[in-house]
Amino acid sequence: MTPADLSLTVLHAVRRAVDDGALRVDVPSRAKVERARPGGAGEYASNIALALARPAGRSALDVAGILEERLRGVPGLRAVEITGPGFLNFTLRGDGDADLVREILAAGTSYGHGAALAGTVVRLAGSDEPRAVVVVETLGRLLRSQGADVEVGADGGERVHVHPGMCDPGGDAVRWAFLRAAPHDRPLDPALFLVPHERNPLFRVRYAYSRTRRLLVNARQLGFSPEQGECDDPLLPALLRDHPLALLSAARHRAPDRVARHLEAVADALLAFQHTVLPLGDEKPSAAHRSRLALAEAAGTVLAGGLSVLGISAPDRI
């Protein structure tokens, strides 16, 4: 279950509570779900009960209890807990790792694309300023990835505030420099992203992708292939589940920098995880190696898809 699936599941619980008369509220268009904060319960949390308490004329704890009853036993959820004044906290089932990898590999680089903005028409004003051209073009791809109808260069369209960047917009380093900073912030120096060094986040993202391709080649040479299964790394699957939300959030907030930051987090987790994928020494390939390889392949797919949305290449070898 991805965060987007979890958000829809929470909304379905609200709708059920309204339909059976337990709550008298208008069903919201979406339910905010985010990673649980350090020290919190579960993996994800939602404040939906607090948001509905006043219109329902009930306490947030009462609303949370009503929703918790309707979330019990939902496939993909191991536990639902109520904390604080009425936060709902969710723990996903461990078998979700295999389903997640299967979903990513089936979708390919389109993983995270959806229909959340279907029916929305967005008209973006054009610009001749180099950085604005890149930002608006990227926002067009992001919005379309979420189902919106987009017209770029429309007269009288929405004008995205972009701090100017006066260098030639060609090249991956320049695009990353333009997009990694928030549009209203000063763009980063492209020279920082030309050096192939671990301090260069663009290099890390592209290198992490290339490592997944190499791991697949090396595994074939060792006589085994990826196979979906449970993984012993909690961070990387969580970040991959967050990818659809990162794309949707970037589209809604006109903030392609959110995608860049998310890709950096995925790359760093993957680079820390990669050393466990292949057998060491005389070790024979096991089910754990096969599932780790599948997870690495899925992570590479997410990195390639995210870079594609930003208009940046993902080379197989660096």
Side-chain angles (χ1 to χ4, degrees), residues 35-167:
R35 295 288 301 175
R37 295 179 182 178
E43 300 168 67
Y44 294 92
S46 175
N47 66 350
I48 186 72
L50 283 77
L52 296 178
R54 177 173 292 181
R58 310 185 67 153
S59 73
L61 283 174
D62 284 344
V63 175
I66 291 169
L67 298 180
E68 187 271 338
E69 290 177 4
R70 287 155 180 80
L71 289 164
R72 291 177 193 164
V74 170
L77 284 179
R78 177 182 296 165
V80 182
E81 303 173 64
I82 300 171
T83 60
F87 290 100
L88 286 167
N89 295 263
F90 309 96
T91 301
L92 305 184
R93 291 191 180 278
D95 55 4
D97 288 352
D99 291 339
L100 171 68
V101 170
R102 194 173 295 111
E103 178 185 358
I104 293 172
L105 296 180
T109 55
S110 294
Y111 170 69
H113 295 202
L117 301 182
T120 302
V121 178
V122 181
R123 301 171 72 245
L124 298 174
S127 173
D128 294 330
E129 195 280 318
R131 187 185 182 204
V133 170
V134 171
V135 171
V136 170
E137 169 201 313
T138 303
L139 287 176
R141 277 196 297 272
L142 273 168
L143 287 160
R144 291 186 188 101
S145 79
Q146 303 306 308
D149 293 322
V150 184
E151 182 182 350
V152 175
D155 292 336
E158 175 186 338
R159 190 166 296 279
V160 181
H161 177 60
V162 177
H163 192 294
M166 298 310 296
C167 53

Side-chain angles (χ1 to χ4, degrees), residues 145-292:
S145 79
Q146 303 306 308
D149 293 322
V150 184
E151 182 182 350
V152 175
D155 292 336
E158 175 186 338
R159 190 166 296 279
V160 181
H161 177 60
V162 177
H163 192 294
M166 298 310 296
C167 53
D168 186 332
D172 289 334
V174 174
R175 291 189 69 89
W176 185 270
F178 281 175
L179 297 171
R180 176 57 178 82
H184 57 272
D185 289 340
R186 184 184 299 276
L188 302 172
D189 180 1
L192 299 173
F193 307 114
L194 292 171
V195 181
H197 193 278
E198 63 181 9
R199 289 194 297 271
N200 174 352
L202 174 59
F203 172 76
R204 292 201 309 275
V205 170
R206 299 171 84 205
Y207 176 68
Y209 169 74
S210 72
R211 284 298 302 144
T212 66
R213 309 311 299 168
R214 194 66 214 166
L215 287 170
L216 289 166
V217 171
N218 291 345
R220 283 196 296 270
Q221 293 172 345
L222 292 173
F224 76 102
S225 57
E227 184 176 306
Q228 289 85 18
E230 295 320 300
C231 295
D232 46 10
D233 181 90
L235 177 58
L236 189 52
L239 289 168
L240 300 186
R241 286 191 183 92
D242 285 346
H243 185 64
L245 282 183
L247 293 179
L248 179 56
S249 174
R252 280 195 168 124
H253 295 279
R254 313 296 193 258
D257 56 294
R258 296 187 181 206
V259 177
R261 290 198 302 272
H262 179 69
L263 294 181
E264 288 177 17
V266 172
D268 290 343
L270 175 60
L271 290 173
F273 168 77
Q274 61 158 332
H275 306 290
T276 69
V277 173
L278 299 179
L280 298 176
D282 296 330
E283 188 180 10
K284 299 295 183 183
S286 66
H289 292 116
R290 293 183 177 87
S291 63
R292 291 170 193 158

